[in-house]
């Protein structure tokens, strides 16, 4: 399978090359030139376990891997690090089916891709005879950071540097990252928001002289953000899985459509659902949920992407994003692979913080619906479903639930719905426990204990005794110093 840049001016790659490269040299994002079609019956997919199904979905994208290599990657990724019987349970509550993607080592859906990506990366490195150490740069709104640190911890031939916005991630997320172990892991906060971190990170990745300087001492860069196509493809597998499970449980007749609602930030997760649809999963609407940072809601309603707006820090911090990088891939696909049009829109975004989609793209937007939830509405949704079904969900998942309910109210569309459940409620325990009526706890960590006592739901192992782990990464730097931090970190390694 060949992967091309959305901006059309970078060399084509196979998946191995695209995963190592991270972001294309013309600043575009790698996309597959076609979508392989699912070629088995739903009865067959429904009978598979998660690993077998993921292998089926990924194989056509990875022609350069042998069957043994692919299987070794998937077996290495989805071990009992995932604390659920089938890796990804589908749980019926509140009239919808929640695809619980958060049972991995860091208790958020990012684990699904970041458990697999290091295996894809190291297999690819060996195939391409790369002798440089790959330095993975990550900017995170919270959950990617820890999932990437866990995924790449002590992986030979790699090191990882994570930047997160100071005081803009949850206390649990911050404690996870600052206590991350591994001899190849580096973490600092930056004074700025997520968009600042991501923009500067992209600039470092595109800085040719700096790349050469680090190349001379044996390093090359890559990205573990969802701009890396190696993040997206593992996620496609769980949407195929979701549909197969819906069939298996009798919630949908094989071949009939479902709706999929995804709480979105950088647009990577919902884009994977779009890819699954292109591969043949019957989907009626893809519903994009946002929090108060609702630039995507406006985009889907008007076709205009307008980033000239206030930025809010909310109780669903992993979705506090104004520049949704992966939307670029959707523009490319909906626009009929018109890379010149994508370049035009992205240039406008960089210059004016605003662009209007082309008519071809606008016509495709009807495959999507969109809505948003305020912080109060998020808490209300958590309280409602806990009361009605004793189901505990986190603040991000609650965005999805609320937006889906609004969509049903507006449209009367009774298509069976899958809601992507993106984080454990314990990752945002103070907000969740408040929402179900518990008294305010002393801090986030006490809230975890109180929530577990009240609900009886087990605390994920990745969040247990977090408070007592030693701080290993205490840094906080100016955004302008990110490049120097990278240089000094690499030069300081033995
Ligand atoms: C990252 C994240 C999101 C947003 O996912 P995108 O792929 O960036 O759209 C939503 N919820 C949680 C808990 C996350 O960690």
């Amino acid at each position: 399978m060949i992967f091309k840049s959305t901006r059309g001016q970078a060399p084509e790659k196979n998946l191995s090359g695209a995963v190592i490269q991270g972001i294309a040299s013309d600043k575009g994002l790698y996309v597959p030139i076609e979508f392989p079609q699912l070629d088995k019956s739903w009865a067959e997919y429904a009978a598979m376990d998660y690993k077998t199904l993921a292998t089926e979905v990924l194989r056509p994208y990875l022609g350069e891997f042998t069957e043994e290599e692919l299987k070794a990657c998937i077996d290495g990724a989805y071990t009992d690090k995932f604390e659920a019987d089938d890796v990804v349970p589908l749980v019926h509550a509140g009239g919808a089916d929640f695809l619980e993607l958060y049972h991995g080592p860091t208790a958020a859906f990012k684990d699904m891709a970041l458990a697999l990506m290091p295996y894809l990366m190291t297999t690819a490195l060996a195939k391409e005879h790369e002798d440089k150490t790959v330095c993975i740069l990550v900017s995170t709104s919270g959950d990617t950071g820890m999932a990437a640190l866990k995924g790449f911890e002590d992986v030979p031939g790699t090191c990882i540097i994570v930047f997160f916005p100071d005081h803009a991630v949850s206390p649990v997320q911050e404690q996870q990252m600052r206590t991350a172990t591994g001899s190849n892991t580096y973490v600092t906060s930056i004074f700025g928001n997520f968009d600042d971190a991501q923009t500067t990170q992209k600039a470092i990745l595109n800085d040719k002289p700096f790349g050469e300087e680090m190349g001379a001492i044996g390093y090359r860069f890559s990205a573990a953000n969802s701009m890396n196509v190696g993040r997206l493809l593992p996620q496609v597998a769980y949407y195929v899985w979701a549909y197969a499970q819906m069939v298996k449980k009798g919630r949908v007749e094989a071949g009939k459509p479902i709706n999929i609602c995804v709480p979105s930030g950088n647009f990577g997760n919902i884009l994977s659902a779009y890819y699954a649809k292109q591969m043949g999963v019957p989907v009626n609407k893809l519903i994009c949920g946002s929090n108060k940072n609702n630039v995507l809601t406006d985009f889907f309603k008007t076709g205009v992407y307008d980033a000239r707006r206030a930025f809010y820090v909310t109780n669903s911090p992993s979705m506090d994003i104004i520049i949704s990088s992966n939307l670029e891939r959707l523009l490319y696909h909906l626009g009929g692979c018109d890379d010149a049009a994508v370049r035009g829109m992205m240039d406008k975004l960089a210059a004016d913080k605003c662009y209007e989609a082309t008519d071809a793209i606008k016509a495709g937007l009807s495959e999507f619906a969109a809505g948003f939830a305020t912080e109060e509405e998020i808490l209300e949704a958590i309280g409602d479903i806990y009361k009605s079904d004793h189901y505990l969900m986190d603040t991000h998942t609650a965005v999805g639930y609320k937006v889906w309910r609004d969509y049903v109210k507006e449209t009367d569309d009774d298509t069976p719905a899958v809601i992507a459940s993106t984080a454990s409620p314990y990752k945002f325990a103070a907000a969740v426990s408040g929402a179900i009526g518990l008294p305010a706890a002393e801090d986030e960590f006490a809230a975890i204990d109180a929530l577990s006592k009240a609900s009886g739901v087990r605390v994920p192992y990745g969040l247990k005794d977090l408070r007592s782990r030693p701080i290993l990464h205490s840094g906080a730097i100016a955004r302008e110093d990110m490049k120097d931090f990278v240089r000094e970190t690499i030069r300081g390694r033995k």
Side-chain angles (χ1 to χ4, degrees), residues 242-409:
Y243 188 83
Q245 294 302 299
M246 288 288 278
V247 171
K248 188 171 177 174
K249 290 173 188 245
R251 304 207 43 76
V252 71
E253 198 183 309
K256 293 269 162 62
I258 59 169
N259 287 335
I260 299 178
C261 181
V262 185
S264 297
N266 221 0
F267 208 73
N269 199 3
I270 191 168
L271 187 75
S272 298
Y274 173 81
Y275 279 23
K277 180 180 180 186
Q278 302 312 304
M279 291 180 74
V281 173
V283 178
N284 173 33
K285 287 277 180 193
L286 293 162
I287 305 169
C288 177
S290 298
N291 64 23
K292 200 173 162 190
N293 295 293
N294 57 359
V295 59
L296 287 168
T297 313
D298 291 345
F299 174 72
F300 281 106
K301 302 217 149 131
T302 64
V304 174
Y305 195 92
D306 191 348
R308 297 168 298 184
R309 58 179 71 216
F311 174 86
Y312 302 102
V313 174
T314 73
N315 58 9
S316 48
S318 301
M319 295 162 58
D320 291 343
I321 292 177
I322 292 186
I323 307 288
S324 290
S325 292
N326 276 293
L327 194 63
E328 177 169 346
R329 288 186 163 108
L330 185 71
L331 300 176
Y332 179 85
H333 296 302
L334 290 182
C337 311
D338 184 348
D339 52 62
V342 173
R343 282 200 301 280
M345 288 180 281
M346 291 301 112
D347 287 347
K348 279 216 72 179
L349 182 63
D352 308 334
K353 298 187 115 197
C354 183
Y355 63 83
E356 182 163 5
T358 61
D359 289 342
I361 294 169
K362 278 189 190 156
L365 294 182
S366 59
E367 287 186 62
F368 290 79
F372 72 99
T374 64
E375 293 192 271
E376 297 71 39
E377 289 167 335
I378 288 169
L379 299 179
E380 204 178 285
I382 294 171
D384 282 357
I385 202 167
Y386 188 72
K387 223 178 278 153
S388 65
D389 292 66
H390 195 74
Y391 186 67
L392 210 52
M393 67 185 175
D394 95 293
T395 48
H396 302 74
T397 308
V399 169
Y401 183 61
K402 151 74 166 71
V403 168
W404 169 70
R405 277 205 309 198
D406 285 351
Y407 167 82
V408 172
K409 232 179 269 163

Side-chain angles (χ1 to χ4, degrees), residues 5-55:
S5 167
T6 46
R7 301 195 193 178
Q9 298 183 323
E12 296 181 352
K13 305 254 176 194
N14 58 15
L15 187 62
S16 297
V19 167
I20 296 171
Q21 176 86 23
I23 182 167
S25 56
D26 60 359
K27 303 185 188 175
L29 306 177
Y30 278 106
V31 288
I33 56 161
E34 62 188 1
F35 292 103
Q37 295 303 298
L38 297 168
D39 57 4
K40 303 221 159 43
S41 72
W42 285 110
E44 285 171 279
Y45 288 123
M48 292 176 190
D49 64 14
Y50 189 81
K51 288 195 279 192
T52 308
L53 184 133
T55 308

